[in-house]
Amino acid sequence: AQSVTQLGSHVSVSEGALVLLRCNYSSSVPPYLFWYVQYPNQGLQLLLKYTTGATLVKGINGFEAEFKKSETSFHLTKPSAHMSDAAEYFCAVSEANTPLVFGKGTRLSVIA
Amino acid sequence: DTAVSQTPKYLVTQMGNDKSIKCEQNLGHDTMYWYKQDSKKFLKIMFSYNNKELIINETVPNRFSPKSPDKAHLNLHINSLELGDSAVYFCASSLLSGEAQLFFGEGSRLTVL
């Protein structure tokens, strides 16, 4: 069965600094990979997804993630953090015809 | 128009009561889900319905009973509420069964006293 590990339950960066949120997955077949963001008291919103094709995926709000099969990773990055990026971020994996399995989330804090 | 809407957004109740949470999606999707998010933000699937039929039922106490009157609605009824049921419950939908991209509602925060 597929699983997701997000390294670091809390990441703190300065405004303007690089954001790096780590995600490793386990899957027996080529996975579909997702990053979702949850702002306080809101539902989850899709940031980006990888299904097939180009391994570098661009999402909304300047975020991108790279699928690295050899490392079983799908880390999320953004070159320059903004205060509005402060939120909870979830990595998720799905195999064909199975529901999404989420990681435990990483809370991103952005310091002015 | 909100794509996936849940009501109520907040629910505070006593142990032993019965309560319901309603969900509606206007995306024309075939599949709907209930996820539970605990106090540590961990999200776990509870149920999935495809076109009114139950297709996933994870290990959830039978006090929880989903009902789908049509493919645009999936309600969650909880009997004999316990303290451990306190959580945020999210409804979600996807275009097809097995389609991994989910669209989430804003959540319903249930507090059991």
Side-chain angles (χ1 to χ4, degrees), chain A residues 24-80:
Chain A
N24 288 88
Y25 69 90
S26 169
S27 176
S28 56
V29 299
Y32 294 166
L33 295 160
F34 300 77
W35 276 98
Y36 281 83
V37 60
Q38 184 180 24
Y39 298 104
N41 298 315
Q42 293 188 26
L44 279 75
Q45 178 183 355
L46 181 68
L47 268 181
L48 49 80
K49 64 179 179 181
Y50 168 80
T51 52
T52 58
T55 56
L56 182 61
V57 180
K58 293 187 186 300
I60 61 171
N61 301 338
F63 283 93
E64 61 182 36
E66 187 170 10
F67 170 58
K68 291 187 176 180
K69 185 178 177 182
S70 60
E71 298 177 9
T72 60
S73 69
F74 191 56
H75 301 331
L76 182 71
T77 60
K78 181 174 180 177
S80 177

Side-chain angles (χ1 to χ4, degrees), chain B residues 4-23:
Chain B
V4 181
S5 58
Q6 300 178 224
T7 54
K9 192 166 182 178
Y10 299 97
L11 190 52
V12 181
T13 189
Q14 300 285 334
M15 266 197 312
N17 285 349
D18 303 338
K19 290 294 176 186
S20 293
I21 306 171
K22 296 186 176 182
C23 178

Side-chain angles (χ1 to χ4, degrees), chain B residues 48-75:
Chain B
S48 171
Y49 268 73
N50 182 55
N51 204 6
K52 302 191 296 176
E53 288 191 24
L54 180 67
I55 54 173
I56 293 173
N57 183 352
E58 292 296 310
T59 309
V60 176
N62 58 14
R63 298 181 295 103
F64 290 78
S65 53
K67 283 190 172 53
S68 181
D70 56 61
K71 75 173 193 177
H73 296 83
L74 180 61
N75 304 323

Side-chain angles (χ1 to χ4, degrees), chain A residues 6 9 36-45 87-91 102-107, chain B residues 6 9-10 21 33-47 60 64 76 78 83-92 104-112:
Chain A
Q6 290 184 241
S9 59
Y36 281 83
V37 60
Q38 184 180 24
Y39 298 104
N41 298 315
Q42 293 188 26
L44 279 75
Q45 178 183 355
E88 192 87 21
Y89 290 81
F90 293 91
C91 183
F102 286 88
K104 293 190 174 183
T106 298
R107 181 162 60 94
Chain B
Q6 300 178 224
K9 192 166 182 178
Y10 299 97
I21 306 171
Y33 309 79
W34 279 110
Y35 277 82
K36 180 181 180 181
Q37 186 176 47
D38 63 23
S39 58
K40 295 185 178 179
K41 300 285 188 181
F42 183 55
L43 271 160
K44 187 171 181 189
I45 189 167
M46 300 173 69
F47 301 103
V60 176
F64 290 78
L76 183 65
I78 315 169
L83 293 176
D85 298 332
S86 295
V88 181
Y89 292 86
F90 285 99
C91 179
F104 282 85
E106 293 198 342
S108 297
R109 181 177 294 275
L110 172 64
T111 302
V112 182

